[in-house]
């Protein structure tokens, strides 16, 4: 399974690609950061981010895109932009017909370090070790994206089983999932 | 000036198209609501919304897209999804090469009713009156989107002058605005 991890952000959006399967040592394929200029209009920053994520999807062809689930109440100042960045990354995945898995920061920290409250340095250290990297990925956003991808490689299948059970139980039946939007428009007069 | 107003949301996203200029009575061209099914995966809902907004941009060819600026701390439960919906709508505008203007709910209420704290019913009543509609647009999201478009028709030019002055002062020089994303990617090993 190949996973593209995305640590969403507009100023710095971390990404990391990992190959692996549960119970085995994962392999890092690529890592980096997408940056957009704060002076640009918001919609142009979102466009740049979307273009870059689409290019990564084409280059690496991941099976799944794992995106950090952000809780806006925890970071009021930047939560809005972060949520928009996450939405645009998820949209790019849907357009490339790749499923999106969402993981919370504490899930990722627990998966990579055994501690849901690990700090940034601990996460970077464990990512470097688990993936056998010669040096630590920088900045922290890049390390976080790799951690997210590793988290999904290890935990995703269990989530997927729960999800399949939910679908079998009638929630979000796949047949319905690809229908066109149902939106109503009427002339105003 | 033709404005497409977007009241962002995933379950119901209001849209309204208005023609007009400052100091004149605006004309409503179209109004409606984009709905996506809550049972769908988030990324598929964002994809449906993006497809619908892109279709509206093609059909109505607005000069500007006015989007409600959401403050996530005011609605913790749904703020995240609303911010993502707003981001995807802004992205669609950027992809169609249309500028995006952001207005707060209180700005819109003040512009349409003279009262920044007007309730939903007052906004709907004033939208119906100002646009000379035979009946009130429903649901409230559709009326809000029309109010947003009217707000921009009346207030946009003043905002634009401030913005042009800022650009002339060296902030966000247009030459820089269309460059490709600067993102760094390195092989992990």
């Amino acid at each position: 399974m190949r996973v593209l991890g995305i640590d969403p952000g507009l100023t710095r959006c971390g990404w990391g690609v990992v190959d692996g399967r549960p119970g085995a040592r994962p392999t890092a394929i690529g890592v980096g950061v997408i940056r957009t200029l704060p002076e640009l209009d918001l919609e142009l920053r979102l466009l740049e981010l979307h273009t870059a994520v689409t290019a990564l999807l084409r280059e690496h062809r991941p099976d799944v895109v794992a995106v950090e689930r952000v809780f806006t109440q925890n970071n009021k100042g930047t939560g809005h932009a972060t949520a928009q960045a996450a939405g645009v990354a998820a949209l790019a995945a849907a357009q490339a017909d790749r499923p999106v898995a969402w993981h919370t920061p504490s899930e990722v920290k627990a998966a990579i370090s055994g501690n849901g409250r690990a700090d940034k340095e601990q996460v970077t250290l464990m990512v470097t070790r688990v993936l056998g990297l010669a040096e630590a990925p920088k900045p922290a956003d890049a390390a976080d994206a790799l951690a997210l991808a590793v988290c999904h490689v290890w935990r995703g299948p269990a989530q997927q089983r729960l999800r399949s059970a939910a679908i079998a139980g009638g929630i979000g039946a796949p047949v319905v999932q690809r229908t066109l939007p149902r939106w109503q428009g009427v002339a105003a007069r």
Side-chain angles (χ1 to χ4, degrees), chain A residues 21-163:
Chain A
R21 57 194 160 76
R25 190 189 186 103
T27 310
I29 303 298
V31 62
V33 171
I34 303 161
R35 296 173 196 270
T36 72
L37 295 174
E39 308 89 271
L40 291 191
D41 286 338
L42 175 56
E43 72 271 20
L44 297 179
R45 300 182 77 187
L46 292 169
L47 179 58
E48 292 200 342
L49 180 64
H50 181 265
T51 304
V53 173
T54 300
L56 286 172
L57 287 161
R58 272 201 204 123
E59 185 184 345
H60 293 288
R61 307 203 166 272
D63 299 298
V64 181
V65 179
V67 183
E68 190 174 291
R69 185 188 293 275
V70 196
F71 293 102
T72 42
Q73 57 266 40
N74 292 336
N75 46 353
K76 281 181 187 174
T78 58
H80 197 218
T82 308
Q84 292 187 336
V88 160
L91 173 71
Q95 287 171 325
D97 209 10
R98 301 291 91 180
V100 176
W102 302 85
H103 296 281
T104 62
S106 60
E107 248 183 285
V108 174
K109 288 171 184 173
I112 199 90
S113 76
N115 171 11
R117 299 181 167 207
D119 62 22
K120 284 203 173 287
E121 282 176 26
Q122 286 173 295
V123 169
T124 297
L125 185 70
M126 286 308 297
V127 163
T128 310
R129 235 182 243 175
V130 162
L131 293 168
L133 303 176
E135 54 184 292
K138 280 179 200 164
D141 313 77
D144 282 350
L146 282 176
L148 200 63
V150 170
C151 169
H152 187 77
V153 163
W154 285 345
R155 295 196 159 195
Q159 278 196 338
Q160 190 52 46
R161 277 194 298 276
L162 286 171
R163 196 178 136 144

